[in-house]
Amino acid sequence: MESKKDCDPGAMLDVLYGEADALTERNLRSHQEGCASCRAEFAALRGVRRSLGAWTLPARLQPRLERRPAWRPLLAAAAGLLLALGASLGLSGSELGFRNGTLAFRLGRGQDLERLLAAQEDRHRREMEELRAALLHPAAQPVGSDREEVLRAVRRLVDDSQRRQSRVLETRLADFQQQAEAQRRYDLAQVGASLSYLEGKTGLEMAKTTELMGHVIQASQKR
Amino acid sequence: MAPTDEQLVEAFQAGDVSAFDLLVSRWDRKIQGAVYRVVGQTEDVRDIAQEAFLKAYRALPLFKREAKFSSWLYQIALNLCRDRLRRRRRSLAEVSLDLLSESGELPLATSGPSAVELAEASELARTVGSAVWALPEEQREVIVLKEYQGLTFQEIAEVLGLPVSTVKTRLYRGLGVLRECLEQKGIRNPAPVPAPAP
């Protein structure tokens, strides 16, 4: 009679799932010869595994192709339009929300963008102050060059701002493109799976039809 | 001969983006199966599987080929399943508080099939499915990976980041709970195998 302390659930699982080496399997078998509770346990676990095998996936998880209703392309176009709108709002860092019972729309989202805009605002304010000071004290500026100086400063500001905006836009566009590419590839693979399922199904139906035709021909020849 | 996952990952990392398509078509069904058995609702399955592949696509350029691609993919999918279950539990807790004030009872299940799914399944499949969904999450994950995905103990340990011994303990406990649950529902296991004749 084997003692209960020799029972090894780990070895039992290894044998149950076919992962045990020959020695472990031999040891377990020889232990089970003298250990009724281990034998019962092993048989019960095997029974549970058999029951688990009955649980199959639902049909709706199988790949399938559905008939497309006529409004589907329109819906797809509308969804595309909304996606594009959403993407452009997202790219511009905008935010749409419901606050205090009203719909609120705010340009600028995310700490990075806010920090960037705050820094830009500071810089503009500083430059405006400098310009204002220069206008208030014209003596400090070389005569005749005021207007050009201001124009140059404004042009510089505009250029800087454009450069910053396009940098932010490029980064966001790159993210968006990567996500869209991944989505496209996943969708393509899904369509591929559905097509091969359909091909398989059509092949099966063809075979059935051919078989049926064979029977009909044979029957008519017998007559 | 079909390229291995590792070869496809290598090709993707070398710039052949189409290698990812093959990986998706190879693993999509398996991932959907695992997700369904862990979260239990078909409407969530495609979302989670799709999100898992999107995450994989983004992270694949940095994927170090020390682990198996499939283990890594299962890891991503299971993390998403846990997030989904957590969110579901949270929203259920909010609803429960409302219900508690009215009926005094808390709904318990946080995962499980819809009524339509239940109606479609066979009696035994229904019973087994419900028993698996009633298991604690950690036991359910191990049982799904072992029983339905056919991973080895070592692979499960990699996916879950646990020692093999812990994986076996969870599996053993889970099978024990299932055994009791199925017996209570009238699904009898076969009689113990008699000892071989001396």
Side-chain angles (χ1 to χ4, degrees):
Chain A
M1 181 79 184
E2 297 275 337
S3 77
K4 184 77 185 161
K5 68 177 169 53
D6 296 326
C7 301
D8 180 0
M12 206 185 284
L13 287 176
D14 284 337
V15 175
L16 192 68
Y17 287 95
E19 283 192 42
D21 54 34
L23 180 67
T24 311
E25 191 158 353
R26 216 169 32 244
N27 286 343
L28 183 80
R29 300 282 176 217
S30 90
H31 167 76
Q32 283 185 348
E33 280 175 21
C35 181
S37 70
C38 249
R39 276 202 310 279
E41 178 80 2
F42 191 73
L45 292 180
R46 225 188 234 157
V48 173
R49 285 204 66 196
R50 255 199 302 276
S51 305
L52 283 171
W55 187 29
T56 49
L57 291 175
R60 81 194 58 189
L61 280 183
Q62 309 293 329
R64 63 186 172 187
L65 283 184
E66 292 161 354
R67 278 177 73 84
R68 282 180 164 212
W71 47 266
R72 286 279 285 272
L74 289 175
L75 194 68
L81 201 67
L82 276 176
L83 194 71
L85 184 69
S88 53
L89 284 179
L91 286 173
S92 66
S94 305
E95 202 176 67
L96 189 62
F98 200 73
R99 280 187 216 109
N100 304 327
T102 54
L103 201 62
F105 176 74
R106 191 168 69 87
L107 265 174
R109 186 198 61 191
Q111 289 186 334
D112 284 350
L113 200 64
E114 277 174 11
R115 215 179 312 121
L116 209 77
L117 288 173
Q120 193 172 336
E121 195 183 333
D122 277 352
R123 205 167 28 252
H124 286 182
R125 201 163 284 157
R126 242 188 350 266
E127 282 164 347
M128 290 281 281
E129 287 300 324
E130 283 168 16
L131 281 171
R132 196 173 290 138
L135 287 171
L136 284 174
H137 308 287
Q141 294 289 320
V143 182
S145 66
D146 284 4
R147 183 173 286 241
E148 281 137 30
E149 195 63 40
V150 170
L151 272 175
R152 261 201 301 279
V154 169
R155 213 169 286 138
R156 206 168 47 238
L157 281 175
V158 171
D159 286 349
D160 280 357
S161 167
Q162 271 176 348
R163 262 197 302 277
R164 273 190 299 275
Q165 292 295 339
S166 47
R167 256 203 313 274
V168 172
L169 205 66
E170 269 166 25
T171 317
R172 284 180 186 271
L173 256 177
D175 280 355
F176 182 66
Q177 271 170 349
Q178 198 191 29
Q179 192 162 345
E181 175 64 10
Q183 179 77 56
R184 192 180 67 82
R185 295 208 160 268
Y186 182 81
D187 290 345
L188 275 176
Q190 286 274 4
V191 171
S194 299
L195 280 177
S196 35
Y197 172 72
L198 196 71
E199 273 166 20
K201 217 175 166 184
T202 315
L204 202 69
E205 275 164 12
M206 282 275 286
K208 274 186 193 162
T209 314
T210 314
E211 199 184 339
L212 195 66
M213 285 293 286
H215 285 307
V216 172
I217 290 167
Q218 271 183 358
S220 66
Q221 279 170 350
K222 274 180 196 165
R223 267 186 210 166
Chain B
M1 208 172 87
T4 62
D5 287 351
E6 282 61 39
Q7 286 168 333
L8 288 172
V9 170
E10 203 176 333
F12 180 87
Q13 290 182 334
D16 176 11
V17 195
S18 67
F20 187 74
D21 301 355
L22 267 174
L23 287 169
V24 174
S25 54
R26 190 174 287 177
W27 287 101
D28 188 31
R29 296 276 305 126
K30 283 219 150 213
I31 292 294
Q32 283 196 33
V35 169
Y36 172 73
R37 288 189 160 108
V38 173
V39 300
Q41 285 175 358
T42 42
E43 60 265 34
D44 288 340
V45 171
R46 275 176 196 269
D47 281 357
I48 295 177
Q50 184 168 324
E51 210 179 324
F53 280 105
L54 292 183
K55 275 184 181 257
Y57 182 86
R58 277 192 221 121
L60 205 52
L62 302 172
F63 175 64
K64 289 177 188 141
R65 280 167 268 153
E66 290 156 3
K68 275 177 77 175
F69 170 77
S70 55
S71 304
W72 179 67
L73 192 59
Y74 275 121
Q75 206 169 38
I76 295 176
L78 282 181
N79 280 335
L80 290 169
C81 287
R82 286 179 205 135
D83 286 350
R84 185 64 58 105
L85 289 174
R86 242 194 313 273
R87 272 210 301 276
R88 210 186 280 169
R89 261 197 301 269
R90 212 176 301 139
S91 60
L92 194 71
E94 283 162 15
V95 173
S96 301
L97 284 176
D98 298 341
L99 289 179
L100 190 63
S101 56
E102 288 169 20
S103 67
E105 279 181 17
L106 278 172
L108 292 174
T110 54
S111 60
S114 66
V116 181
E117 282 152 24
L118 279 175
E120 275 176 0
S122 74
E123 179 69 32
L124 179 60
R126 244 192 330 257
T127 312
V128 173
S130 309
V132 174
W133 278 316
L135 285 174
E137 218 170 292
E138 52 178 40
Q139 291 173 10
R140 186 164 68 236
E141 284 176 0
V142 174
I143 284 183
V144 168
L145 292 176
K146 186 71 203 161
E147 201 63 53
Y148 298 103
Q149 307 300 312
L151 269 62
T152 62
F153 289 117
Q154 186 57 50
E155 285 167 344
I156 299 175
E158 267 175 36
V159 171
L160 300 176
L162 296 169
V164 172
S165 56
T166 310
V167 170
K168 284 185 178 175
T169 306
R170 286 184 183 181
L171 181 68
Y172 189 70
R173 283 194 189 141
L175 289 175
V177 175
L178 281 178
R179 177 188 169 188
E180 271 178 34
C181 180
L182 293 176
E183 278 177 1
Q184 274 171 13
K185 289 179 179 174
I187 297 168
R188 293 262 136 219
N189 289 317
V193 183

